[in-house]
Amino acid sequence: MNPYVAPVALLVLSNVFMTFAWYGHLKFGTKPLAVVVMVSWGIAFFEYWLAVPANRIGHQVYSAAELKTMQEVITLVVFAGFSVMYLGEKLTLNHAVGFGFIALGAWFVFRGPLGG
């Protein structure tokens, strides 16, 4: 597995699972909380089988801070698509600005030391 690409692909897949685990139950508001927690936990189990290898493989070429930053940016992209396509929610300009600031923060993490 390419240590530059594999973590990105695995993190995208893991985030799809985790987003469903954390937010998919919102469409089933009448289901008992215990049921949705157990179903969410079951989905998250498979997410770990993607996220842990992603970080182990990725740490060969990325720092832990870069992997975490990558994870957060991927999480927002996956969540934005999920909230629009699955939950039917709209993204606003405020969301875009907030996500943009996070992307700017990611740029600084990957850019390397400032002034050095």
Side-chain angles (χ1 to χ4, degrees):
M1 287 189 153
N2 182 325
Y4 290 97
V5 177
V8 176
L10 291 169
L11 287 172
V12 167
L13 291 172
S14 78
N15 269 280
V16 169
F17 276 96
M18 205 59 182
T19 300
F20 272 98
W22 285 356
Y23 301 102
H25 65 87
L26 295 177
K27 284 189 112 174
F28 305 98
T30 60
K31 298 291 182 196
L33 185 58
V35 171
V36 297
V37 167
M38 293 306 291
V39 169
S40 294
W41 179 80
I43 295 168
F45 172 80
F46 295 101
E47 182 269 344
Y48 273 76
W49 279 99
L50 297 164
V52 172
N55 287 307
R56 181 170 283 201
I57 294 165
H59 199 248
Q60 297 173 39
V61 294
Y62 298 112
S63 70
E66 289 171 332
L67 286 166
K68 181 60 180 170
T69 302
M70 194 182 308
Q71 164 72 28
E72 295 303 329
V73 170
I74 290 169
T75 296
L76 283 175
V77 170
V78 169
F79 178 78
F82 174 87
S83 66
V84 170
M85 293 187 286
Y86 184 78
L87 294 177
E89 296 184 355
K90 297 197 182 315
L91 294 179
T92 67
L93 180 57
N94 288 15
H95 295 121
V97 170
F99 292 171
F101 279 124
I102 293 168
L104 180 62
W107 179 82
F108 278 105
V109 169
F110 279 90
R111 182 172 182 319
L114 293 176

